[in-house]
């Protein structure tokens, strides 16, 4: 048949004049099982020899009831069992019963595969159960789904309706078993006459209806329990999923992405947002979201917090906040909320805090957009709060791990510093100390040493002693800068004056040794700077000393300055010296860095000069960096310092 037995029966009954219309009911599987067993027991308990037609959706469903129908078949010869063809179920007759009962194997594509039918028509009573299964989304577990299967159908003791249904199913039987034509004809003549009068007496409807009502109420309670269990299972599954993500990766972005996607899909909300923040944050940028349907994305958008009354309420009470935009006074009185709800089409808003030790560290937001104003259920809110709590733990652990990584990197840097310090200081201290010791021993053991040689010895010892003094001074200076034990005295100064003081040290050295040409190229109208003059001179001295050290005597060092970014003076010290590889430009500012290596270099130094210069420039409010095209291509050192504002 192209339509189900239920539809065909309703169509036939609708054409009858003078009859009340028949309306299908909704039955659960447990109800149909109870009713079917009651109808079968009525046959087994009576002495009547009725027509029995039972339709099973699958062979496996029939196997559970086969023993009951063999007992029924020993009592009556008109028993027909229909089921979808699978393994052992085929067309045939059972010779072990009195009259034999017929099995009819129908095609799995037949509408019968979605039906639950049982018809009993006797001489003194009749009962009819004709149902078609309703399609439902699989929301629960397999066991729960089987118990909550719903059927739409008719259950009645009306003999005329039972006869009509029996006639329809007998037609189906003949379609698959034409060899039963004689037996089916006998069944029609005896049990399905063209005209039937209702049976006299009181039927079992009142009792059965009370039983059915009880079964239906019990089934609804069971469904409610299943929903509760499913909600709990879903919550635990999501929490476990986020926990698994946390164990696999301590990256907060990955944890946020998993939590946002899974929660947004589970709740079916229009928009799900998750972001880290503190109570004092002015705004955040949205990085993690899940869109449930065609709504505008907030990805990368700034999200205002401090002027948002909903966020303030959440931060103050540390509890979830849910509002219906159309009916909320806070939204009506806040221009910001009105703008946000109109721009992003928010109709219902839920904010859940992400807390750790009573401190706000993030917010989970759910949005219903457009005309959707359906409230989140208690189970959904509990689920969102459970996920927020798990995200809070994940975020804190991720931050702790990141902090531990930073500490490990600092420890590794300290190890490298210790190794460099041992190598450099060992070399820088041992060499001048050895020279001083040799000079003093020579003068002490040779009192008749010529005066010219004695003077050379004294100058050599003084030079190396000065080298030691500068080494110790650089150590102490860097230590004071890094520990913050320096008092800064900014004042308005001329950059030219500071440069002249730094150049005086270079010119003093030029009288004793060959240095490259130093050229100053400053404009006439140079703005004043607001700096600590002593420390700016130190920076210029360190950079110029470094440039002269690595530039040959026939080379050139130039100094330029001009207005840079707003409120800053840009200074450039360029040389034509040895140059630096591009991948080492940042490393030259590290402590104890030696471009040639600690023990194989042609120039002296501890590798602290540029590290000191960077500390000073950063404290003055500027930046310092280096540029070089590579080996033997020269180097440019740049730094910026604040310009004095007018009137100061």
């Amino acid at each position: 048949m192209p339509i189900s037995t239920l539809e065909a029966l309703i169509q036939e009954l609708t054409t009858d004049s003078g009859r009340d219309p028949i309306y299908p009911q909704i039955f659960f599987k447990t109800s149909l099982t109870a009713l079917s067993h009651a109808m079968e027991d009525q046959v087994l308990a009576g002495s009547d020899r009725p027509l029995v037609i039972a339709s099973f959706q699958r062979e496996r469903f029939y196997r559970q009831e086969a023993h009951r129908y063999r007992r029924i078949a020993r009592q009556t010869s008109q028993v027909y069992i229909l089921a979808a063809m699978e393994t052992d179920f085929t067309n045939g007759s059972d010779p072990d019963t009195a009259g034999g009962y017929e099995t009819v194997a129908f095609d799995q594509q037949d509408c019968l595969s979605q039906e639950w039918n049982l018809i009993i028509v006797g001489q003194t009573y009749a009962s009819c159960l004709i149902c078609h299964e309703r399609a439902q989304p699989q929301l629960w577990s397999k066991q729960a789904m089987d118990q909550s299967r719903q059927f739409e159908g008719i259950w009645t003791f009306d003999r005329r309706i039972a006869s009509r249904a029996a006639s329809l199913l007998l037609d189906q039987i003949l379609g698959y078993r034409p060899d039963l034509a004689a037996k089916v004809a006998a069944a029609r003549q005896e049990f399905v006459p063209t005209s039937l009068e209702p049976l006299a007496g009181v039927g079992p409807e009142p009792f059965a209806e009370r039983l059915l009502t009880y079964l239906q109420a019990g089934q609804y309670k069971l469904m409610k329990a299943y929903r509760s269990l499913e909600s709990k299972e879903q919550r635990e599954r999501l929490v476990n999923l986020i926990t698994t993500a946390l164990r696999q990766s301590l990256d907060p972005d990955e944890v946020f992405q998993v939590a946002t996607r899974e929660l947004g899909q589970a709740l079916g909300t229009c928009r799900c947002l998750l972001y880290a923040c503190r109570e004092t944050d002015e705004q955040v940028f949205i990085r993690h979201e899940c869109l449930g349907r065609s709504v505008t994305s907030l990805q990368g958008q700034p999200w205002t917090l401090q002027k948002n009354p909903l966020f303030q309420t959440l931060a103050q009470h540390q509890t979830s906040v849910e509002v219906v935009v159309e009916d909320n006074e806070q939204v009506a009185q806040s221009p910001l909320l009105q703008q946000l709800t109109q721009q992003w089409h928010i109709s219902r808003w839920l904010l859940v805090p992400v807390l750790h030790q009573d401190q706000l560290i993030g917010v989970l937001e759910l949005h219903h957009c457009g005309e959707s104003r359906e409230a989140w259920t208690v189970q959904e809110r509990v689920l969102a709060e459970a996920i927020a709590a798990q995200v809070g733990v994940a975020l804190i652990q991720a931050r702790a791990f990141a902090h531990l990584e930073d500490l490990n990197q600092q420890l590794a840097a300290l190890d490298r510093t210790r190794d460099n310090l041992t190598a450099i200081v060992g070399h820088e201290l041992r060499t001048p100390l050895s020279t001083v010791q040799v000079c003093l021993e020579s003068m002490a053991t040779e009192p008749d040493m010529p005066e010219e040689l004695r003077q050379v010895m004294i100058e050599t010892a003084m030079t190396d002693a000065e080298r030691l003094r500068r080494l110790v001074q650089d150590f102490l200076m860097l230590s004071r800068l890094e520990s913050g034990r320096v008092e800064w005295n900014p004042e308005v100064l001329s950059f030219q004056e500071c440069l002249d003081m730094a150049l005086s040290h270079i010119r003093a050295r030029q009288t004793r040794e060959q240095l490259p040409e130093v050229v100053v190229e400053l404009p006439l109208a140079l703005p004043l700077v607001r700096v600590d003059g002593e420390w700016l001179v130190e920076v210029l001295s360190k950079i110029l000393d470094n440039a002269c050290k690595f530039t040959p005597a026939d080379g050139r060092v130039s100094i330029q300055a001009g207005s840079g970014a707003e409120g800053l003076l840009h200074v450039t010290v360029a040389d034509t010296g040895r140059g630096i590889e591009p991948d080492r430009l940042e490393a030259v500012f590290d402590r104890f860095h030696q471009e040639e290596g600690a023990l194989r270099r042609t120039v002296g130094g501890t590798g602290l000069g540029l590290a000191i210069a960077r500390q000073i420039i950063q404290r003055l409010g500027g930046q310092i960096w280096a540029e070089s095209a590579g080996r033997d291509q020269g180097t440019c050192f740049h730094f910026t310092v604040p310009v004095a504002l007018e009137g100061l």
Side-chain angles (χ1 to χ4, degrees):
M1 293 178 61
I3 59 176
S4 69
T5 306
L6 175 65
E7 293 176 292
L9 179 60
I10 292 176
Q11 288 181 7
E12 285 197 11
L13 296 176
T14 303
T15 59
D16 288 353
S17 59
R19 290 185 56 89
D20 294 331
I22 300 298
Y23 298 104
Q25 290 180 268
I26 300 299
F27 298 91
F28 292 102
K29 177 188 173 183
T30 50
S31 303
L32 294 182
T33 301
L35 289 173
S36 297
H37 285 176
M39 295 167 65
E40 294 159 3
D41 290 342
Q42 189 175 16
V43 175
L44 292 171
S47 58
D48 205 350
R49 300 170 61 85
L51 166 67
V52 179
I53 304 175
S55 174
F56 293 88
Q57 294 175 308
R58 296 287 186 272
E59 177 186 349
R60 59 181 179 272
F61 300 145
Y62 163 69
R63 292 196 200 106
Q64 303 172 9
E65 307 295 333
H67 66 286
R68 297 175 64 86
Y69 283 93
R70 286 194 175 93
R71 289 173 56 196
I72 292 174
R74 294 189 185 101
Q75 187 170 328
T76 177
S77 60
Q78 290 288 348
V79 178
Y80 302 90
I81 309 299
L82 295 87
M85 184 183 300
E86 288 186 330
T87 55
D88 299 329
F89 193 88
T90 58
N91 294 331
S93 302
D94 189 346
D96 296 335
T97 58
Y101 76 100
E102 308 298 337
T103 56
V104 181
F106 55 79
D107 190 277
Q108 293 188 4
Q109 304 301 319
D110 198 309
C111 290
L112 288 169
S113 63
Q114 301 298 321
E115 297 182 16
W116 182 311
N117 302 320
L118 177 57
I119 301 171
I120 300 174
V121 182
Q123 299 298 329
T124 59
Y125 69 92
S127 56
C128 172
L129 184 61
I130 302 292
C131 296
H132 187 273
E133 186 167 7
R134 301 179 68 186
Q136 297 182 85
Q138 188 168 352
L139 302 177
W140 306 306
S141 63
K142 183 177 180 180
Q143 181 181 2
M145 185 65 184
D146 185 63
Q147 295 297 324
S148 61
R149 288 163 59 196
Q150 296 182 11
F151 293 79
E152 184 178 24
I154 297 173
W155 171 67
T156 180
F157 291 96
D158 190 319
R159 184 180 181 85
R160 288 173 296 185
I161 296 178
S163 299
R164 293 286 185 87
S167 178
L168 290 172
L169 285 177
L170 288 173
D171 290 339
Q172 289 279 70
I173 292 170
L174 284 178
Y176 286 101
R177 295 284 306 274
D179 57 300
L180 298 178
K183 189 172 183 178
V184 168
R188 289 183 186 276
Q189 182 178 3
E190 182 178 0
F191 300 104
V192 193
T194 56
S195 176
L196 285 174
E197 295 296 328
L199 295 175
V202 179
E205 291 94 334
F207 170 79
E209 288 177 359
R210 292 287 298 273
L211 173 63
L212 180 60
T213 302
Y214 174 80
L215 289 172
Q216 296 287 71
Q219 184 62 35
Y220 277 112
K221 291 180 181 178
L222 186 62
M223 285 185 62
K224 185 177 180 181
Y226 281 139
R227 289 193 182 99
S228 178
L229 291 174
E230 182 66 21
S231 176
K232 183 178 180 181
E233 179 185 356
Q234 185 183 57
R235 180 169 68 251
E236 292 178 351
R237 181 183 64 82
L238 287 179
V239 171
N240 290 337
L241 180 64
I242 295 175
T243 302
T244 302
L246 172 62
R247 292 174 179 173
Q248 293 177 348
S249 172
L250 287 172
D251 182 4
D253 286 338
E254 184 173 347
V255 175
F256 276 29
Q257 181 179 359
V258 171
T260 306
R261 181 184 68 247
E262 294 298 327
L263 183 61
Q265 293 177 355
L267 299 184
T269 188
C270 296
R271 187 185 292 117
C272 178
L273 310 176
L274 183 59
Y275 51 84
C277 67
R278 295 173 296 180
E279 295 182 12
T280 56
D281 289 346
E282 292 289 336
Q283 68 175 16
V284 295
F285 285 88
I286 303 300
R287 299 176 56 191
H288 306 282
E289 71 170 356
C290 176
L291 303 181
R293 58 189 183 92
S294 300
V295 295
T296 307
S297 173
L298 281 169
Q299 191 83 20
Q301 294 291 331
W303 200 242
T304 304
L305 300 180
Q306 284 302 315
K307 297 180 181 179
N308 187 334
L310 302 182
F311 176 79
Q312 294 300 320
T313 302
L314 175 139
Q316 181 179 357
H317 300 287
Q318 296 187 350
T319 58
S320 301
V321 178
E322 181 178 359
V323 296
V324 179
V325 171
E326 186 177 349
D327 305 329
N328 189 263
E329 293 184 2
Q330 284 184 310
V331 176
Q333 297 174 1
S334 171
L336 173 65
L337 292 182
Q338 291 183 7
Q339 176 188 350
L340 292 177
T341 54
Q342 293 175 5
Q343 181 179 1
W344 306 110
H345 310 289
I346 304 173
S347 57
R348 198 176 192 99
W349 206 333
L350 175 62
L351 291 84
V352 181
V354 179
L355 303 171
H356 178 72
Q357 296 182 349
D358 297 330
Q359 296 293 324
L360 182 67
I361 59 176
V363 174
L364 171 66
E365 290 194 20
L366 301 177
H367 299 168
H368 278 325
C369 301
E371 299 180 355
S372 175
R373 298 174 55 188
E374 181 180 356
W376 287 280
T377 64
V378 175
Q379 292 81 5
E380 290 174 336
R381 290 190 58 162
V382 170
L383 176 61
E385 291 169 356
I387 297 303
Q390 187 65 27
V391 169
V393 174
L395 184 58
I396 291 300
Q397 292 186 0
R399 289 178 177 176
F401 178 77
H403 183 60
L404 182 61
E405 286 291 305
D406 291 341
L407 290 178
N408 289 336
Q409 292 177 4
Q410 293 177 18
L411 289 174
L414 287 175
D415 281 342
R416 292 192 299 270
T417 300
R418 181 195 61 189
D419 295 340
N420 290 335
L421 179 62
T422 302
I424 294 172
V425 172
H427 183 275
E428 292 295 328
L429 287 177
R430 184 173 61 250
T431 301
L433 280 175
S434 299
T435 303
V436 171
Q437 183 179 8
V438 168
C439 292
L440 293 178
E441 287 179 351
S442 298
M443 288 187 294
T445 57
E446 298 183 18
D448 298 333
M449 181 182 296
E451 186 63 27
E452 294 83 359
L453 182 58
R454 180 182 298 274
Q455 188 63 32
V456 171
M457 292 287 185
I458 292 174
E459 291 179 357
T460 301
M462 291 181 62
T463 299
D464 283 354
E466 176 63 19
R467 180 178 172 183
L468 286 173
R469 185 193 67 80
R470 289 200 305 269
L471 172 64
V472 174
Q473 181 180 355
D474 284 350
F475 272 116
L476 295 176
M477 184 182 300
L478 183 60
S479 176
R480 290 173 57 202
L481 288 168
E482 292 185 341
S483 63
R485 292 183 287 109
V486 175
E487 293 185 4
W488 300 92
N489 300 302
E491 54 184 333
V492 178
L493 298 172
S494 167
F495 176 77
Q496 180 70 62
E497 295 178 1
C498 297
L499 179 60
D500 290 341
M501 294 181 66
L503 288 173
S504 64
H505 299 291
I506 300 299
R507 295 190 180 102
R509 287 178 55 191
Q510 284 179 330
T511 60
R512 304 189 304 270
E513 54 184 302
Q514 289 186 343
L515 295 179
E517 179 186 8
V518 179
V519 180
V520 179
E521 302 174 349
L522 299 182
L524 296 177
L526 199 62
L528 300 177
V529 293
R530 185 172 181 81
V531 295
D532 187 314
E534 179 182 353
W535 289 107
L536 180 57
V537 172
E538 188 69 33
V539 170
L540 290 168
S541 299
K542 297 292 186 187
I543 295 178
L544 289 171
D545 180 71
N546 190 78
C548 293
K549 185 189 304 183
F550 291 99
T551 303
D554 58 350
R556 184 173 183 269
V557 176
S558 62
I559 306 167
Q560 299 176 340
S563 298
E566 184 177 356
L568 294 173
L569 180 71
H570 184 184
V571 181
T572 302
V573 178
D575 62 62
T576 60
R578 193 170 300 177
I580 305 171
E581 294 295 337
D583 59 344
R584 306 292 298 169
L585 289 173
E586 182 61 26
V588 298
F589 294 99
D590 293 340
R591 293 175 295 176
F592 306 113
H593 176 78
Q594 291 285 349
E595 188 64 18
E596 295 180 313
L599 301 178
R600 59 174 187 86
R601 57 189 190 278
T602 57
V603 296
T606 62
L608 296 177
L610 292 178
I612 292 173
R614 180 172 63 176
Q615 291 285 338
I616 296 173
I617 290 297
Q618 289 178 349
R619 297 300 191 280
L620 293 177
Q623 293 182 336
I624 186 170
W625 68 96
E627 294 178 350
S628 177
R631 284 290 182 181
D632 301 324
Q633 299 296 316
T635 306
C636 290
F637 284 92
H638 305 267
F639 69 86
T640 59
V641 289
V643 173
L645 300 178
E646 295 183 4
L648 297 179

